[in-house]
Amino acid sequence: MTTTYNCTSEDQRALGLEHAQRAISEKKCVVLPTDTVYGIGADAFSPQAVTMLLVSKGRSRAMPPPVLIPRINALDGLATNISTDARKLAEAFWPGGLTLILHAQPSLDWDLGDTQGTVALRMPADEVAQELLTLTGPLAVSSANRTGQAPAQTAAEARAQLADSVEVYLEGGFRPVEGTDAVPSTIVDATGPVLRVVRDGAVSLERLREHVPGVLGLGESPAVGAEATEAEVTGAADSQPADAAPAEDAGDGIPDERETAAPAEKDPEA
């Protein structure tokens, strides 16, 4: 039975998180607040659950959902060949409104859709989302709306679109803030030798460049020779050992259509 919990109440929040954890374990979908907009989430490691998420939204496997994680050390459990620059951005802007597209760990038993070996990861700056992710592990999460409709800024808005396709709605009030527009996370493709913004969002290009000056903006091309130089630096960085986190330690602002680039980022995320 579909249930909404008012997570601004401590008692309701505890009950809602418990029910949501149980629903995730049963391969069902839940709606949760994030620091950007509301997301519909499912067990990232269950093809059945991810399929339910995509069906609920009315979208195909060609638009795989990103994955939300509870802490930064989940990066190495879910992604590989992570460059020094990608780590700098994660350390600077997680938790927060930045999604990184990375090469997925090939050993992981998951099926998010037609990702072509990539995964979009984010650590949201939202207490309810963080509490749920800590209980469940990584979740595949997309915007809590039907494809082509406006992203939900409350659980009530999400329920009006998704109805009984979701088991649990966690209502935490407006996201980001009542009276403001929904702002998606900024998406950076970190799968190549040079980091590239593929969707503008909550974190500006100027802020990204404070930490990684070479980040390319939307539609920009690298200077001649820059890719080769960056590739050498990236290769050297990737040869260094990283502190691996188990995959179970491991999403996201979400307008409904992503713009370009790597396969894993073709779905908006919370």
Side-chain angles (χ1 to χ4, degrees):
M1 181 178 68
T2 296
T3 309
T4 296
Y5 295 90
N6 177 9
C7 291
T8 62
S9 160
E10 187 173 336
D11 291 343
Q12 282 278 299
R13 179 162 161 171
L15 289 172
L17 288 168
E18 180 183 359
H19 190 174
Q21 180 185 21
R22 186 167 66 253
I24 293 295
S25 71
E26 294 171 352
K27 316 307 179 189
K28 298 175 182 177
C29 294
V30 305
V31 160
L32 63 150
T34 78
D35 46 337
T36 52
V37 297
Y38 276 73
I40 176 173
D43 182 357
F45 296 101
S46 167
Q48 174 189 341
V50 173
T51 296
M52 285 189 64
L53 185 156
L54 295 175
V55 169
S56 296
K57 283 184 61 69
R59 74 174 40 193
S60 72
R61 287 173 51 83
M63 302 182 76
V67 173
L68 298 192
I69 59 177
R71 46 192 171 273
I72 195 169
N73 66 1
L75 254 180
D76 294 289
L78 298 178
T80 187
N81 298 326
I82 305 167
S83 70
T84 299
D85 284 347
R87 290 184 190 277
K88 285 180 181 178
L89 293 187
E91 290 167 359
F93 297 107
W94 284 1
L98 174 70
T99 297
L100 291 174
I101 303 170
L102 299 158
H103 294 289
Q105 280 283 2
S107 61
L108 291 179
D109 183 20
W110 60 4
D111 182 6
L112 298 170
D114 300 333
T115 66
Q116 297 182 28
T118 65
V119 63
L121 298 177
R122 187 167 91 85
M123 179 181 172
D126 183 276
E127 287 187 5
V128 175
Q130 281 290 317
E131 286 184 40
L132 180 59
L133 289 163
T134 299
L135 292 172
T136 63
L139 295 178
V141 179
S142 182
S143 54
N145 57 279
R146 292 285 295 177
T147 296
Q149 301 298 312
Q153 292 186 265
T154 66
E157 290 180 4
R159 187 164 183 171
Q161 296 189 50
L162 301 174
D164 293 341
S165 65
V166 171
E167 174 81 2
V168 176
Y169 289 85
L170 300 177
E171 178 66 81
F174 276 84
R175 294 295 190 277
V177 178
E178 186 172 5
T180 63
D181 294 331
V183 179
S185 64
T186 296
I187 301 175
V188 173
D189 182 357
T191 60
V194 178
L195 273 57
R196 302 169 185 268
V197 173
V198 295
R199 186 181 71 187
D200 291 324
V203 181
S204 69
L205 179 60
E206 291 71 25
R207 291 180 64 201
L208 294 174
R209 285 177 172 167
E210 290 175 3
H211 300 274
V212 179
V215 175
L216 297 177
L218 196 63
E220 290 183 349
S221 298
V224 176
E227 293 243 8
T229 302
E230 184 67 20
E232 293 171 3
V233 173
T234 301
D238 290 342
S239 67
Q240 301 301 314
D243 295 328
E248 62 268 26
D249 280 350
D252 125 48
I254 313 179
D256 200 52
E257 301 299 335
R258 293 192 191 175
E259 297 274 328
T260 80
E265 53 77 35
K266 290 182 181 175
D267 183 13
E269 28 78 38

